[in-house]
């Protein structure tokens, strides 16, 4: 098991990445051809130089000298053109591949259960979708093809060296085992170092994202100094991770230059001695060519090591991205019934549910909601009220029991059609950094601007929207910070209403709004709930009183059911006590 962890290359991972290359096979094979051509051209200039020296300079025959010069110039031009094409299309392939992987990743993220996000860091997921993706692109743009090109060039160069002069080639090999061993050790340590770096990058992103999102809380509780110290500690670990990679680089990178210089010295000594002694085994052309060849053989090892760093970072990033893609956290959408509309008969039959294993949130919940009725659910915080809404929309899977609408198990209804027919207004309203219009329609192609205007007039908030700069085209910025909480709630209410849902859910929809906004929402609620099945989770007295039925929950169980008047008649009833303690205070106020 340990050996598997220490593998420098994960061929299974490469094989998986290559699956994404299939749509770009022509470019991929063209890059392979360019790699071969570049390797050949890399050895051409020293080889031509050898013949220019031996056949023209040494012999002082001018006849073919111009030909050799023009030939080297032609090789240089072609090499430059091929380099340009190679660099461009290697990067192009990497970016296209990453585009496909990123789309697949985001598609998975869109379909994961809410439980997955309950247990995941947003900063970490952003790192995977953005930063790690760029590292994967580098595998092809700056890593794999570059390494392959350098290795092939080294093989071609060494092959030409052996063909030209076997003895000088043997001298060149003296330092090679040491350098190859050092390269392997370097690669092993760099892989571990880059795994540490990616971990610290994720931690840093998560920390910054959470603190920026919760900046108001930090300042309200004067936590600036403490969070500054925490950030310094995390940033220090991040720096140490990178410094470790710099340390390994600083140890290794001078080594190829040192080995290359020693080898050139040995070649110059042995070859020069043979030239001086007029030994026919080494010509002047051989000596010059080999001096040119040695850097071409040793320097790529340094470049390969550098590119291998890029490759390692890409592999670590790819492993983490594929880990998210391979996560099986989607809701099973196996239903075949497409609900174009619901009558609105809702039934919970002995439903059990836990967010955390062995910690029951709902303990055998059973109740009915008839078509067109408005049912209010009340209870203390943590009683399980909002959980009922989450389960109705299948954000989570129940452990036992059945939830049905119009007599059909919601598991048999396609997920898209189920959620299309249920509109939810939450207490904590989320608005995107976009216009009011787009936040209402969420860019739904079948909802026109005129429909939005009419819906806003119907529920009485059109005039409020028109008082804003640019009206419906007013950009509310990130999370709707340009609007008050009451205004955001009104936009959320309109977003639910404009879809004309079969079932309406209001989850604490008026608990954090001002009295004016509450009145607007109350008027809209009366209109939108008329003749439509509605479930209301609220503390506001007016909503509770008008409900056709009130379900009272405590600790995951239903303790009482009935109308407002019926529940008030129960001596020492849970609802009656709740009413006298909380709701009666609101009436007095």
């Amino acid at each position: 098991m340990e050996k598997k962890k220490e593998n420098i290359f994960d061929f299974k991972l490469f094989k998986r990445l290559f699956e994404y290359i299939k749509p770009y096979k022509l470019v991929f094979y063209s890059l392979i051809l360019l790699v071969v051509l570049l390797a050949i051209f890399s050895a051409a200039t020293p080889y031509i130089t050898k013949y220019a020296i031996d056949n023209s300079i040494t012999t002082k025959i001018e006849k073919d000298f111009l030909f050799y010069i023009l030939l080297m110039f032609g090789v240089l031009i072609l090499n430059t053109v091929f380099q340009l094409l190679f660099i461009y299309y290697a990067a192009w392939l990497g970016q296209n591949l990453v585009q496909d992987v990123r789309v697949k990743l985001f598609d998975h993220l869109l379909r994961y259960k809410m439980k997955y996000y309950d247990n995941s860091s947003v900063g970490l997921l952003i790192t995977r979708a953005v930063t790690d993706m760029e590292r994967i692109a580098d595998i092809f743009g700056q890593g794999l093809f570059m390494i392959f090109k350098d290795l092939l060039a080294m093989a071609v160069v060494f092959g030409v060296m052996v063909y030209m002069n076997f003895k000088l080639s043997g001298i060149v090999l003296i330092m090679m085992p040491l350098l190859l061993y050092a390269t392997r050790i370097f690669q092993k340590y760099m892989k571990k170092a880059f795994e540490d770096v990616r971990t610290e990058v994720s931690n840093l992103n998560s920390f910054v994202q959470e603190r920026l999102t919760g900046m108001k809380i930090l300042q309200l509780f004067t936590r600036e100094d403490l969070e500054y110290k925490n950030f310094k500690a995390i940033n220090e670990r991040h720096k140490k991770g990178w410094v470790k990679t710099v340390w390994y680089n600083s140890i290794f990178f001078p080594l190829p230059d040192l080995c290359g210089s020693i080898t050139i010295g040995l070649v110059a000594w042995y070859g020069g001695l043979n030239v001086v002694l007029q030994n026919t085994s080494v010509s002047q052309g051989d000596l010059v060519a080999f001096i040119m060849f040695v850097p071409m053989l040793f320097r790529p090892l340094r470049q390969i090591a550098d590119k291998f760093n890029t490759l390692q970072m890409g592999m670590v990033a790819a492993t983490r991205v594929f880990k998210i893609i391979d996560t099986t956290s989607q809701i099973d959408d196996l239903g075949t019934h497409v609900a174009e509309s619901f009558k609105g008969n809702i039934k919970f039959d002995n439903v059990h549910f836990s967010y955390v294993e062995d910690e029951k949130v709902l303990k055998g919940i059973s109740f009915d909601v008839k078509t067109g009725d408005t049912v209010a659910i009340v209870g203390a915080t943590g009683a399980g009220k909002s959980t009922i809404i989450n389960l109705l929309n299948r954000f989570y899977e129940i452990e036992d029991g059945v939830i049905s609408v119009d007599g059909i198990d919601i598991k048999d209804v396609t997920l898209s059609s189920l959620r299309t027919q249920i509109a939810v207004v939450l207490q904590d309203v989320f608005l995107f950094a976009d216009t009011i219009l787009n936040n209402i329609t969420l860019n739904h192609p079948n909802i026109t601007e005129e429909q939005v205007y009419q819906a806003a007039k119907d529920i009485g908030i059109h005039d409020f929207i028109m008082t804003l700069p640019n009206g419906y085209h007013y950009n509310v910025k990130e999370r709707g910070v340009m609007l008050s909480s009451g205004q955001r709630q009104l936009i959320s209410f309109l977003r639910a209403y404009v879809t004309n849902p079969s079932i309406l859910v209001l989850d604490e929809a008026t608990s954090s709004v001002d009295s004016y906004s509450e009145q607007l929402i109350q008027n809209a609620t009366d209109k939108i709930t008329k003749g439509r099945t509605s479930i209301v989770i609220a503390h506001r007295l007016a909503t509770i009183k008008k409900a056709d039925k009130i379900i009272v929950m405590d600790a995951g169980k239903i303790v009482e059911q009935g109308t407002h008047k019926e529940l008030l008649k129960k001596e020492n009833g849970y609802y009656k006590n709740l009413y006298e303690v909380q709701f009666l205070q609101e009436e007095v106020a």
Side-chain angles (χ1 to χ4, degrees):
M1 188 70 180
E2 194 64 33
K3 282 186 177 181
K4 186 177 181 181
K5 288 183 180 179
E6 291 180 358
N7 285 340
I8 293 175
F9 289 101
D10 188 341
F11 290 102
K12 187 176 180 181
L13 179 62
F14 274 116
K15 184 179 179 181
R16 185 167 185 180
L17 283 171
F18 286 146
E19 290 295 315
Y20 290 89
I21 292 178
K22 288 182 178 179
Y24 314 105
K25 286 191 292 186
L26 180 60
V27 174
F28 178 77
Y29 291 126
S30 297
L31 283 168
I32 298 296
L33 177 61
L34 285 171
V35 165
V36 173
L37 292 173
L38 286 169
I40 293 172
F41 280 117
S42 66
T45 300
Y47 192 72
I48 295 170
T49 301
K50 164 194 162 53
Y51 281 96
I53 292 172
D54 289 342
N55 296 342
S56 296
I57 296 177
T58 303
T59 60
K60 299 182 180 180
I61 298 174
E62 188 181 353
K63 179 183 175 182
D64 296 324
F65 188 65
L66 181 60
F67 168 75
Y68 290 126
I69 298 300
L70 292 175
L71 187 58
M72 281 192 285
F73 182 73
V75 168
L76 176 64
I77 295 298
L78 287 174
N79 188 63
T80 302
V81 172
F82 290 153
Q83 283 279 11
L84 186 150
L85 293 172
F86 171 76
I87 293 171
Y88 175 79
Y89 280 105
W92 182 92
L93 179 64
Q95 289 299 325
N96 277 274
L97 180 144
V98 160
Q99 176 184 329
D100 296 343
V101 177
R102 186 183 279 121
V103 167
K104 186 170 184 178
L105 173 66
F106 192 71
D107 182 59
H108 276 66
L109 291 174
L110 287 172
R111 303 175 197 285
Y112 281 160
K113 301 175 186 177
M114 289 299 106
K115 186 175 182 179
Y116 178 83
Y117 295 100
D118 294 341
N119 300 321
S120 299
S121 162
V122 174
L124 184 144
L125 293 177
I126 292 173
T127 301
R128 300 292 177 264
V130 182
T131 308
D132 283 344
M133 286 296 177
E134 292 307 316
R135 301 291 77 80
I136 295 174
D138 291 342
I139 289 177
F140 296 93
Q142 300 179 29
L144 185 64
F145 283 116
M146 294 291 186
I147 292 173
F148 184 37
K149 177 177 75 72
D150 287 339
L151 287 174
L152 188 59
M154 288 172 63
V156 170
V157 165
F158 187 71
V160 173
M161 292 169 72
V162 171
Y163 174 76
M164 285 174 54
N165 195 297
F166 185 78
K167 290 183 178 180
L168 284 179
S169 300
I171 293 175
V172 171
L173 283 177
I174 291 175
M175 300 299 297
M176 193 61 70
L178 171 64
L179 195 54
L180 291 175
Y181 178 75
T183 301
R184 181 165 180 81
I185 296 298
F186 171 75
Q187 291 168 349
K188 177 181 176 181
Y189 280 96
M190 283 302 292
K191 181 179 182 182
K192 177 62 171 64
F194 278 128
E195 287 175 347
D196 294 341
V197 165
R198 296 314 304 157
T199 298
E200 294 306 328
V201 168
S202 297
N203 291 339
L204 186 62
N205 285 348
S206 298
F207 183 89
V208 173
Q209 187 271 334
E210 288 180 352
R211 271 58 185 181
L212 290 178
T213 303
M215 187 58 69
K216 183 181 289 187
I217 298 298
L218 297 183
Q219 294 185 358
L220 280 171
F221 289 90
T222 62
R223 307 292 288 177
E224 295 94 335
D225 292 340
L226 178 61
E227 294 301 333
Y228 173 73
K229 291 178 182 178
N230 291 337
F231 178 78
K232 283 185 68 176
I234 292 176
N235 201 34
E236 178 68 18
R237 292 198 301 270
H238 177 261
K239 182 201 74 175
K240 286 181 178 178
W242 276 110
V243 168
K244 186 184 292 184
T245 67
V246 173
W247 171 242
Y248 292 152
N249 285 332
S250 64
I251 293 174
F252 175 79
F253 278 4
L255 192 59
D257 290 339
L258 176 62
C259 292
S261 298
I262 293 173
T263 302
I264 288 175
L266 292 173
V267 167
W269 169 75
Y270 179 80
L273 190 61
N274 276 268
V275 171
V276 170
L277 296 175
Q278 296 183 346
N279 190 324
T280 56
S281 62
V282 179
S283 68
Q284 293 182 32
D286 289 340
L287 181 59
V288 173
F290 266 73
I291 291 175
M292 295 174 68
F293 273 136
V294 169
M296 297 172 66
L297 192 63
F298 281 82
R299 195 165 296 159
L301 281 176
R302 173 177 174 174
Q303 295 171 353
I304 288 172
D306 191 24
K307 299 305 179 185
F308 192 85
N309 294 346
T310 302
L311 185 63
Q312 292 284 46
M313 289 190 71
M315 290 174 64
V316 172
T319 300
R320 295 183 174 186
V321 169
F322 284 132
K323 183 177 180 181
I324 295 177
I325 292 177
D326 292 338
T327 300
T328 54
S329 186
Q330 296 89 342
I331 293 289
D332 293 329
D333 190 8
L334 304 177
T336 56
H337 180 77
V338 179
E340 296 184 0
S341 65
F342 285 132
K343 292 180 182 179
N345 286 304
I346 302 171
K347 183 175 182 179
F348 276 62
D349 185 10
N350 194 32
V351 173
H352 293 258
F353 175 74
S354 303
Y355 290 106
V356 180
E357 191 175 354
D358 297 328
E359 294 183 17
K360 291 284 186 180
V361 176
L362 297 185
K363 306 169 184 177
I365 294 293
S366 296
F367 66 88
D368 295 305
V369 181
K370 296 179 181 179
T371 300
D373 278 0
T374 296
V375 173
I377 303 177
V378 301
T381 300
K385 307 185 297 297
S386 296
T387 300
I388 289 176
I389 308 309
N390 289 331
L391 297 180
L392 180 62
N393 282 278
R394 289 197 69 197
F395 288 134
Y396 300 86
E397 294 283 28
I398 61 176
E399 297 169 3
D400 196 14
V402 176
I403 303 173
S404 60
V405 179
D406 296 347
I408 304 171
D409 190 329
I410 60 172
K411 291 183 179 179
D412 296 328
V413 182
T414 62
L415 204 56
S416 176
S417 65
L418 173 71
R419 291 176 179 172
T420 299
Q421 296 303 318
I422 302 174
V424 181
V425 179
L426 299 172
Q427 177 184 2
D428 183 17
V429 179
F430 186 92
L431 298 181
F432 295 93
D434 206 337
T435 64
I436 287 179
L437 179 65
N438 288 339
N439 269 290
I440 293 169
T441 65
L442 296 177
N443 297 304
H444 195 294
N446 296 330
I447 301 177
T448 66
E449 196 166 339
E450 289 71 24
Q451 287 176 306
V452 174
Y453 293 162
Q454 187 59 51
K457 292 175 182 177
D458 289 345
I459 64 175
I461 67 172
H462 175 74
D463 293 339
F464 140 66
I465 296 175
M466 293 307 295
T467 61
L468 299 171
N470 299 321
Y472 288 86
H473 297 281
Y474 178 61
N475 193 310
V476 299
K477 305 299 181 184
E478 186 175 0
R479 301 183 69 89
V481 295
M482 302 304 291
L483 302 177
S484 69
S485 60
Q487 290 171 330
R488 290 196 297 272
Q489 195 65 262
L490 289 170
I491 299 302
S492 176
F493 200 89
L494 180 55
R495 179 162 64 192
Y497 177 56
V498 78
T499 61
N500 191 28
S502 301
I503 299 171
L504 176 67
V505 176
L506 304 180
D507 187 359
E508 310 274 9
T510 61
S511 64
S512 61
V513 299
D514 54 75
S515 57
Y516 173 71
S517 297
E518 181 186 354
Q519 186 59 48
L520 287 176
I521 290 178
Q522 191 58 56
N523 293 337
T525 300
D526 293 340
K527 182 176 180 60
I528 193 175
T529 57
K530 187 176 182 179
R532 178 182 281 112
T533 302
S534 303
I535 298 177
V536 180
I537 298 173
H539 293 301
R540 299 289 182 172
L541 183 60
T543 305
I544 299 297
K545 281 185 173 181
K546 292 181 180 180
D548 296 297
K549 180 166 65 174
I550 298 172
I551 296 174
V552 186
M553 296 188 65
D554 181 42
K557 294 182 179 180
I558 295 177
V559 293
E560 293 176 351
Q561 294 188 57
T563 64
H564 174 71
K565 291 182 179 179
E566 290 171 347
L567 293 175
L568 286 181
K569 291 179 182 179
K570 293 187 176 183
E571 289 296 329
N572 296 319
Y574 188 100
Y575 179 79
K576 183 178 181 180
N577 291 334
L578 187 67
Y579 176 79
E580 291 175 350
V581 172
Q582 183 178 359
F583 297 158
L584 193 58
Q585 289 179 358
E586 291 188 12
E587 282 192 320
V588 173

